Amino acid sequence: MARRRESDRWRIKPRTKLDLSRIDTRSTAGAPGDKQQTKDASAVLRARLAQLQARLYAEGEQSLLLVLQAMDAGGKDGTVRSVFAGVNPQGVRVVSFKAPSQEELAHDFLWRIHAQAPHHGEIAVFNRSHYEDVLVVRVHSLVPEEIWRPRYQRIRAFEDLLTVANTKIVKVMLHISKEEQRERLQERVDDPVKRWKFNAGDLEERRYWDDYQAAFTEAIARTTTHACPWYVVPGDRNWYRDWAVLTILVDTLERMDPRFPAAAEGVVGTIVE
Ligand code: AMP
Ligand code: MG
């Protein structure tokens, strides 16, 4: 048995009966202390993440893919900003998936996703992902159930394909409450700095809250595997969420154990000129 890691707290094991409504979105369970102490711990984790990323890049043999999903205003952008603040931008690529273009729709649903998979040595972060094809697509019946339902299996096969190519996939749902979403959307209306993010469509989407929760539940339950686990992170408190995602990434990279390559034969001595 692998030793227990801090991040196991949020990991959804295969065959667990998942009930998102029973996960406390305001939880701070396991946090190293109060808000400030947790932020201090996150600073340490950020430095550790930067070291591990440097090794991953230098080694050039494996890659990491972080998939971020959440309800609207769930904190995906803020998580990316905070978690990767200390990492060399050369080694991390963030990809945001929007509603598919005509060209993307003229291909299979994984075509645009596969094209953005990280190369060896790289960390890729998907801000939304192929999971939208069983979330928004399901909630709004953008394709019939005969099309979206087999996608769980197709997603598992796709993620397995990346896994055997040395890509470690971790999937994180930032889980906020409906009340927290209301407050955040209201803030987007009230705060001139956040107003650009306000999208009247988000109010329409909010009416489908329960349908989205059901779609998330099934997507997570059907695609969490030992190799490509889902984590559900309580997201109402940003400082806890950031610490949790950092913990998950550091645990994952430590397990991947990237190594600086050994010096090539004969590369020793002093460069004199
Ligand atoms: P945002 O992340 O706020 O910029 O919004 C991106 C929008 O793209 C969201 O409304 C998503 O639901 C939508 N989106 C992303 N992927 C898909 C997809 N595969 N099919 C339909 N809509 C999508
Ligand atoms: Mg949005």
Side-chain angles (χ1 to χ4, degrees):
M1 262 314 271
R3 84 176 163 86
R4 223 193 116 72
R5 308 244 173 190
E6 185 71 51
S7 56
D8 287 342
R9 175 184 304 282
W10 308 290
R11 186 163 57 90
I12 308 301
K13 295 183 196 75
R15 287 177 298 278
T16 35
K17 182 95 188 71
L18 180 63
D19 183 351
L20 287 174
S21 70
R22 297 194 53 159
I23 297 178
D24 177 10
T25 56
R26 293 190 68 75
S27 169
T28 60
D34 62 13
K35 179 174 175 176
Q36 190 53 51
Q37 287 164 326
T38 303
K39 285 185 165 204
D40 293 345
S42 291
V44 174
L45 288 170
R46 261 185 217 100
R48 183 77 190 124
L49 180 64
Q51 288 169 348
L52 286 159
Q53 184 275 329
R55 283 175 190 243
L56 187 81
Y57 191 87
E59 181 193 63
E61 289 183 5
Q62 24 177 5
S63 35
L64 177 63
L65 171 57
L66 171 65
V67 170
L68 281 179
Q69 289 287 163
M71 297 294 288
D72 289 323
K76 300 186 301 299
D77 296 336
T79 301
V80 171
R81 194 179 335 115
S82 165
V83 165
F84 294 98
V87 168
N88 179 352
Q90 280 217 99
V92 180
R93 189 160 45 84
V94 182
V95 189
S96 296
F97 289 99
K98 309 288 181 185
S101 66
Q102 282 307 315
E103 191 188 17
E104 288 166 347
L105 284 173
H107 294 81
D108 68 87
F109 79 104
L110 292 168
W111 178 73
R112 65 174 185 160
I113 310 292
H114 204 166
Q116 300 292 349
H119 62 70
H120 291 164
E122 190 179 40
I123 298 176
V125 182
F126 286 180
N127 184 334
R128 304 186 190 268
S129 67
H130 43 304
Y131 284 96
E132 293 293 334
D133 294 284
V134 288
L135 293 169
V136 63
V137 167
R138 166 179 166 157
V139 168
H140 292 293
S141 304
L142 300 182
V143 299
E145 181 163 0
E146 306 90 82
I147 301 289
W148 62 254
R149 184 156 288 284
R151 286 180 174 170
Y152 299 122
Q153 154 61 22
R154 288 172 182 147
I155 288 172
R156 285 200 302 272
F158 169 66
E159 293 183 356
D160 180 61
L161 176 72
L162 299 193
T163 303
V164 296
N166 273 353
T167 297
K168 180 69 193 174
I169 305 176
V170 291
K171 302 169 285 194
V172 174
M173 179 200 185
L174 309 172
H175 187 27
I176 60 165
S177 67
K178 194 174 182 190
E179 173 57 18
E180 181 67 24
Q181 188 196 53
R182 190 192 64 71
E183 284 172 25
R184 291 183 184 191
L185 291 176
Q186 187 68 53
E187 240 174 76
R188 288 182 182 182
V189 172
D190 297 341
D191 181 348
V193 175
K194 295 186 177 170
R195 200 165 297 151
W196 66 274
K197 274 200 161 188
F198 181 74
N199 175 354
D202 291 349
L203 297 181
E204 176 64 22
E205 287 304 284
R206 184 172 157 75
R207 295 174 47 216
Y208 295 90
W209 180 273
D210 292 341
D211 294 339
Y212 272 105
Q213 297 293 305
F216 264 106
T217 302
E218 190 163 2
I220 292 169
R222 292 201 184 278
T223 62
T224 194
T225 65
H226 180 70
C228 307
W230 269 102
Y231 296 84
V232 176
V233 166
D236 284 1
R237 291 182 165 93
N238 296 350
W239 52 270
Y240 179 80
R241 170 203 76 201
D242 292 345
W243 171 76
V245 175
L246 278 160
T247 299
I248 292 165
L249 290 177
V250 166
D251 279 2
T252 302
L253 279 161
E254 281 179 349
R255 227 170 308 180
M256 291 167 72
D257 194 23
R259 311 272 176 103
F260 287 115
E265 194 95 45
V267 184
V268 282
T270 309
I271 298 170
V272 287
E273 264 187 300

